[in-house]
Amino acid sequence: MRMNVKKDLLFQSVCAVLFLAFAAVCIYPFYYIVLVSISSADAVSRGEVIVFPIGLHWDNFVQVFRLNGILTAFGISVARTVAGTALMLFFSTMLAYICTKQELIGRKWIYRATVFTMFFQAGLIPWFVTMKMLGLQNNFLLYILPGILSPFAIILIKTYIESISPSLEESAIVDGAGYFTVLMKIVAPVSVPIIAAVAVFNAVGQWNSWQDNFFLVNDPRLQTLQLILKNFLSQAEMLANSLKGGKTDLDTASRSQQLDPFAVKTTITVVTVIPILLVYPFLQKYFVKGIMLGAVKG
C-alpha cells in the first residue's frame, strides 16, 4: 500500500513539474514582451532584459498613447468588437434556432447554404466590389454587417440547441409562448455556455481584424487599432527615431526618453493584447463547457 502511495505521489509530482514547465514556456513569450515594454532602451538594446525589468518605467506606454490616432483607433476597435459580437450572437442564435424547427419549410437547404459559405468564397476582388457597391466604404457598418451571421457560430449553437430537452420548449408553448419568447426566455439562458464560447471566438476575431480596414477605409477616424499596430510595426525604426528627435507632439520631458524600436513594437503589442486577456478569464468556464457540450452531437 505504501509503495502504491509513493508511486502515485511520484507520478503526480512529475506531472506537476512537466505541466508547470509547459505553462512557463507558453507564458514566457508574452511575459518577455511586457518586460521589454517597461524596461530602459539601453538595457533592451544590450540584451540584458531576460527575467526581470531593468530601469523600470512606463514612458513607452505614455508616449505610445500620445501618438496621433491611437486613442481613436482603440475606441473604434472596442466599438466594433462589442457591437459586432453582440449583433452576431443575436442573429446567429435566431437562425440557428429556427433551423432546428421541423415546421420551417426548406430549413435543411437554408442550413446547408449557410454552411456552404464556410468552404467556398468568391475571393478578395468580388468582396471588395460588393462592399463598395453596398456603400460600406469608409463606413463603420463595414465592421459589423458582413459578419452579422457566422456559419461557424450557427453550427455550434444549432448543435447545442438540439441537445436541449424538447420538454422545456413544449411546456412553454403549451402556456402560450411564441417562438421568439421561447428563444429569449428558455433556449438562450440554457445555451449560455455555447453562446459565451462563440462570443470569445468572435470577439477575438473582431479585435484582431484589420484587412477590411486596410482595403476599404481611408478615413483616419475609422481606423482600427490593429491597422495602426500593423503600420507602426512596419515603421518602428522611423517611429523610434522621430520620437528620439522630438518630431512628434510630445512634451519636453517625454522627448528626453529614448525609445528602442523593438520596445515600440512590444509596447503596442501589449496594448492590443491586454483587453482580450482581461475579458477571457470571465468567460473561460463557459468557453470550455460550451465547446464540450456543443460537440456531443455532430
Side-chain angles (χ1 to χ4, degrees):
M1 178 66 85
R2 291 182 179 180
M3 183 63 67
N4 291 333
V5 172
K6 289 182 179 180
K7 288 182 178 179
D8 291 341
L9 181 61
L10 178 61
F11 177 76
Q12 292 177 6
S13 300
V14 172
C15 289
V17 171
L18 291 177
F19 283 122
L20 286 174
F22 180 74
V25 171
C26 295
I27 294 173
Y28 181 77
F30 182 74
Y31 175 69
Y32 178 73
I33 290 175
V34 175
L35 288 181
V36 171
S37 65
I38 61 177
S39 297
S40 66
D42 293 336
V44 172
S45 61
R46 292 194 300 266
E48 298 176 354
V49 179
I50 299 177
V51 179
F52 301 104
I54 299 176
L56 180 64
H57 67 87
W58 303 98
D59 292 340
N60 289 336
F61 290 93
V62 172
Q63 292 179 0
V64 165
F65 272 107
R66 287 183 178 178
L67 293 169
N68 293 330
I70 283 290
L71 293 180
T72 302
F74 185 84
I76 292 295
S77 292
V78 171
R80 75 168 292 177
T81 300
V82 174
T85 301
L87 291 175
M88 185 281 300
L89 288 176
F90 179 76
F91 288 101
S92 295
T93 301
M94 288 186 64
L95 181 57
Y97 176 67
I98 64 175
C99 284
T100 63
K101 301 293 116 182
Q102 298 288 342
E103 54 269 32
L104 175 64
I105 299 176
R107 70 182 186 92
K108 290 185 178 180
W109 291 105
I110 295 174
Y111 181 69
R112 290 170 182 171
T114 303
V115 175
F116 180 83
T117 61
M118 292 182 61
F119 303 100
F120 298 94
Q121 298 181 0
L124 178 60
I125 295 178
W127 170 83
F128 176 84
V129 173
T130 301
M131 295 298 105
K132 195 171 181 179
M133 291 178 61
L134 292 175
L136 296 179
Q137 188 175 21
N138 290 318
N139 192 328
F140 180 76
L141 293 178
L142 170 68
Y143 303 139
I144 299 176
L145 291 183
I148 206 167
L149 286 177
S150 171
F152 179 66
I154 292 171
I155 292 173
L156 291 180
I157 297 174
K158 176 180 178 293
T159 303
Y160 189 94
I161 291 176
E162 289 175 340
S163 67
I164 299 175
S165 175
S167 60
L168 293 176
E169 296 185 48
E170 292 171 358
S171 60
I173 293 175
V174 169
D175 291 336
Y179 286 124
F180 187 78
T181 302
V182 171
L183 174 62
M184 293 293 104
K185 300 293 185 179
I186 297 177
V187 175
V190 175
S191 304
V192 166
I194 194 62
I195 291 176
V198 170
V200 172
F201 281 127
N202 189 261
V204 173
Q206 286 278 12
W207 181 260
N208 290 331
S209 180
W210 60 270
Q211 288 144 328
D212 47 4
N213 188 189
F214 180 76
F215 288 111
L216 286 165
V217 177
N218 299 322
D219 189 348
R221 295 173 300 178
L222 291 177
Q223 285 188 337
T224 61
L225 190 62
Q226 295 301 333
L227 183 62
I228 296 291
L229 169 63
K230 176 185 177 299
N231 293 336
F232 283 168
L233 290 180
S234 62
Q235 302 174 13
E237 186 70 39
M238 182 179 65
L239 175 62
N241 292 334
S242 65
L243 290 173
K244 292 177 183 179
K247 296 179 182 179
T248 55
D249 53 348
L250 305 177
D251 56 4
T252 305
S254 296
R255 290 175 184 174
S256 62
Q257 173 65 38
Q258 292 185 344
L259 290 181
D260 181 78
F262 184 57
V264 174
K265 297 179 183 180
T266 56
T267 302
I268 300 175
T269 302
V270 172
V271 170
T272 58
V273 171
I274 285 296
I276 292 296
L277 289 181
L278 294 178
V279 172
Y280 182 77
F282 297 100
L283 299 176
Q284 182 180 9
K285 62 178 181 180
Y286 298 112
F287 177 81
V288 176
K289 184 179 178 181
I291 291 300
M292 293 300 294
L293 293 179
V296 172
K297 296 174 66 177

